């Protein structure tokens, strides 16, 4: 099908800052890869530091998209793909350990997260997991992570802590896990194929 007029991208999470702020997910994406992507509509933040207002505004923008562009099922958006990274504490998006957002049952698509300053917004767990493809990607090593995020990936895929303690565990039944050799290095043999 002709998707040229229907290319839309939304962020999984974003700090409540102006879109040109150095800490803004949108600015980082524009600088790295989005500026050269013609015909792409990016759902961006309003630019305020108000988490609840930004979450409501972002959700309203998503809901304003026609269902031919952003289908719905069971009241949730159905993105073609939801690309997720996982922190070493198991957070994804702005869904952090020990917080109520990971267990959200409100039916909201976008949640405010008032944990840091400035606050942030995040797609709800249900909104992320309703995507046609949920892809967790972990690749690369650094001085901080000489074995990549191998411990986090092992805990996310094999751990028994539960999503309240390690949020990424909620993705097990939905996600495809794309890990490089370093990130997969601590997985049990049955998970390394």
């Amino acid at each position: 099908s002709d998707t040229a007029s229907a290319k839309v991208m939304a962020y999984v999470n974003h700090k409540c800052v102006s879109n040109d702020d150095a800490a803004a997910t949108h600015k980082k994406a524009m600088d790295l890869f989005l500026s050269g992507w013609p015909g792409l509509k990016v759902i961006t933040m309003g630019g305020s530091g108000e988490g609840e207002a930004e979450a409501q505004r972002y959700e309203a923008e998503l809901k304003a998209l026609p269902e031919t562009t952003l289908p719905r099922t069971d009241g949730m958006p159905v993105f073609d793909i939801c690309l997720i990274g996982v922190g070493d504490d198991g957070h994804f998006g702005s869904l952090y350990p020990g917080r109520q957002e990971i267990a959200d049952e409100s039916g909201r698509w976008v949640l405010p997260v008032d944990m840091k300053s400035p606050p942030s917004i995040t797609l709800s767990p249900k909104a992320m997991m309703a995507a046609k493809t949920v892809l967790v990607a972990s690749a690369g090593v650094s001085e901080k992570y000489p074995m990549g995020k191998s411990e986090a990936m092992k805990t996310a895929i094999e751990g028994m802590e539960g999503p309240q303690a390690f949020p990424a565990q909620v993705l097990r039944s939905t996600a495809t896990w794309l890990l490089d050799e370093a990130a997969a290095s601590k997985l049990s043999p049955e998970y390394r194929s």
Side-chain angles (χ1 to χ4, degrees):
S1 69
D2 177 24
T3 58
S5 62
K7 290 188 276 186
V8 177
M9 189 186 94
Y11 294 107
V12 168
N13 66 320
H14 201 291
K15 289 181 181 171
C16 295
V17 296
S18 107
N19 289 313
D20 59 359
D21 187 286
T25 302
H26 183 64
K27 174 157 180 39
K28 293 173 189 174
M30 288 299 290
D31 290 349
L32 289 170
F33 64 93
L34 279 184
S35 62
W37 199 333
L40 179 67
K41 174 183 172 51
V42 181
I43 308 296
T44 58
M45 299 289 287
S48 82
E50 301 296 322
E52 180 62 42
E54 287 290 343
Q56 288 178 12
R57 186 194 146 295
Y58 207 83
E59 183 166 330
E61 267 205 62
L62 290 171
K63 286 184 172 180
L65 294 169
E67 288 196 39
T68 54
T69 301
L70 182 59
R72 280 82 158 160
T73 188
D74 297 326
M76 286 290 124
V78 180
F79 296 100
D80 288 330
I81 186 168
C82 186
L83 178 60
I84 297 173
V86 174
D88 53 358
D89 62 355
H91 83 272
F92 64 100
S94 289
L95 301 169
Y96 291 93
R99 297 202 33 103
Q100 73 275 8
E101 293 90 1
I102 191 62
D104 181 74
E105 293 288 334
S106 68
R108 290 182 69 176
W109 294 10
V110 182
L111 304 172
V113 181
D114 191 9
M115 181 175 140
K116 299 177 181 180
S117 183
S120 62
I121 65 167
T122 188
L123 293 179
S124 70
K126 286 190 174 188
M128 286 188 235
M129 295 187 331
K132 291 178 188 173
T133 300
V134 177
L135 181 63
V136 175
S138 183
V141 296
S142 65
E143 195 171 306
K144 182 178 178 183
Y145 298 107
M147 291 304 299
K149 292 197 177 170
S150 56
E151 286 293 338
M153 294 301 101
K154 180 174 179 62
T155 304
I157 294 168
E158 298 183 46
M160 301 303 289
E161 294 80 354
Q164 200 50 246
F166 206 84
Q169 290 178 357
V170 77
L171 300 169
R172 285 182 185 164
S173 64
T174 308
T176 298
W177 301 76
L178 180 62
L179 313 178
D180 70 1
E181 190 173 335
S185 66
K186 297 203 174 161
L187 293 176
S188 298
E190 61 267 26
Y191 293 100
R192 296 196 67 184
S193 56

